[in-house]
């Protein structure tokens, strides 16, 4: 396949260091990922390589240019995710992915979908009353659901969050564990707490729990409950009957 050469003119008005990275580390990442050669001069970038690779890198650079020119701050991890997503999912719109942020943080961050599937998952939670997510561990099923719940709680779309999961025993009986019923099931609910504390201050979580605004309970104790105006997350649902 013959090589081609393209010129990309960036928007002036922001420091190119934000896009290029320290010692051009961001450009080097794009070079390596798309297998192209990049040379930069001021706000002008030249791309060289086969047509498909150059077109992919050009699309990514234009989308990143839009984000930086719009005043967005992108962390190194976010930049890495955006580059990988653009390279593996050619139909992905990086601008839409990044701008579709869940405003949930009282201390640290906004949550951003890392790919098209996560974006569709978030949109499904916005559009439907019941959403079932199936996928491998570590793909953000629980975390994104928690982010959506906290976001809707803060914006007052819902008045409370109920987090539940089945307490599946690994050979031991719950009765032999120390403490009251909540202390017995707490180890099984730990992943939900971990996601929650990653998004909200500990004191705020405690305050919401004392008020009943956020409730964490095993599924066995959910029967007969009145769940009006609630955002409910059932984790590990494959273990339910």
């Amino acid at each position: 396949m013959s090589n081609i050469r393209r010129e990309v003119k960036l928007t002036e008005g922001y420091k190119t260091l934000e896009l290029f990275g320290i010692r051009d580390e961001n450009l080097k990442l794009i070079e390596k990922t798309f297998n192209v050669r990049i040379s930069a001069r001021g706000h002008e970038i030249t791309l060289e390589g086969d047509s498909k690779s150059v077109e992919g890198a050009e699309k990514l650079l234009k989308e990143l240019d839009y984000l930086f020119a719009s005043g967005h701050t992108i962390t190194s991890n976010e930049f890495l995710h955006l580059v990988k997503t653009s390279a593996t999912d050619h139909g992905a719109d990086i601008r839409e992915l990044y701008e579709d942020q869940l405003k949930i943080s009282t201390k640290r961050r906004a949550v951003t979908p890392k790919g098209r599937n996560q974006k569709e998952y978030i949109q499904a939670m916005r559009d439907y009353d019941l959403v079932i997510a199936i996928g491998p561990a570590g793909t953000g099923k629980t975390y994104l659901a928690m982010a959506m719940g906290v976001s809707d709680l803060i914006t007052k779309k819902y008045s409370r969050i109920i987090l539940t999961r089945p307490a599946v025993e690994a050979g031991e009986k719950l009765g032999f564990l120390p403490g009251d019923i909540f202390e017995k099931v707490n180890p099984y609910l730990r992943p939900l707490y971990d996601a929650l504390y990653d998004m909200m201050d500990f004191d705020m979580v405690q305050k919401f729990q004392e008020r009943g605004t956020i409730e964490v309970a095993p599924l066995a104790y959910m029967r007969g409950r009145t769940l009006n105006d609630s955002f409910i997350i059932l984790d590990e649902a494959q273990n339910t009957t």
Side-chain angles (χ1 to χ4, degrees), residues 4-175:
I4 64 171
R5 179 187 178 102
R6 290 279 180 85
E7 304 285 340
V8 178
K9 188 171 178 61
L10 304 177
T11 304
E12 297 191 16
Y14 70 91
K15 296 179 180 178
T16 54
L17 176 63
E18 297 175 19
L19 174 55
F20 294 177
I22 299 174
R23 296 181 181 175
D24 293 341
E25 61 183 3
N26 290 344
L27 294 183
K28 292 175 183 176
L29 173 63
I30 296 173
E31 270 189 326
K32 182 178 179 181
T33 304
F34 285 87
N35 193 27
V36 296
R37 183 180 176 185
I38 298 178
S39 55
R41 194 171 189 178
H43 281 73
E44 295 183 359
I45 295 178
T46 302
L47 302 171
E48 291 183 80
D50 68 70
S51 58
K52 187 176 181 180
S53 298
V54 167
E55 287 170 3
E58 180 184 20
K59 176 177 177 290
L60 172 62
L61 283 169
K62 288 180 177 179
E63 291 171 341
L64 290 171
D65 174 55
Y66 170 84
L67 290 174
F68 283 113
S70 300
H72 291 285
T73 300
I74 302 176
T75 66
S76 56
N77 283 337
E78 289 171 342
F79 193 94
L80 177 61
H81 277 296
L82 292 176
V83 172
K84 285 184 175 180
T85 299
S86 181
T88 56
D89 186 353
H90 303 298
D93 189 322
I94 299 303
R95 294 180 300 179
E96 285 188 9
L97 283 178
Y98 191 80
E99 291 184 324
D100 190 9
Q101 295 186 339
L102 298 180
K103 298 178 181 178
I104 53 90
S105 181
T106 58
K107 63 175 182 176
R108 278 200 294 273
R109 73 189 66 173
V111 175
T112 307
K114 304 301 183 187
R116 187 184 299 180
N117 287 340
Q118 288 194 357
K119 179 178 172 60
E120 291 176 356
Y121 179 35
I122 291 173
Q123 192 59 49
M125 287 189 281
R126 288 172 174 161
D127 294 341
Y128 301 102
D129 292 331
L130 176 63
V131 176
I132 299 174
I134 302 172
T139 51
K141 302 182 299 295
T142 299
Y143 191 88
L144 287 175
M146 185 71 73
M148 197 73 188
V150 174
S151 175
D152 287 346
L153 181 66
I154 290 175
T155 58
K156 302 187 184 303
K157 183 176 179 180
Y158 295 99
S159 62
R160 62 176 172 165
I161 300 175
I162 297 177
L163 313 173
T164 183
R165 63 181 291 175
V168 179
E169 302 169 355
E172 307 86 358
K173 297 298 182 183
L174 288 178

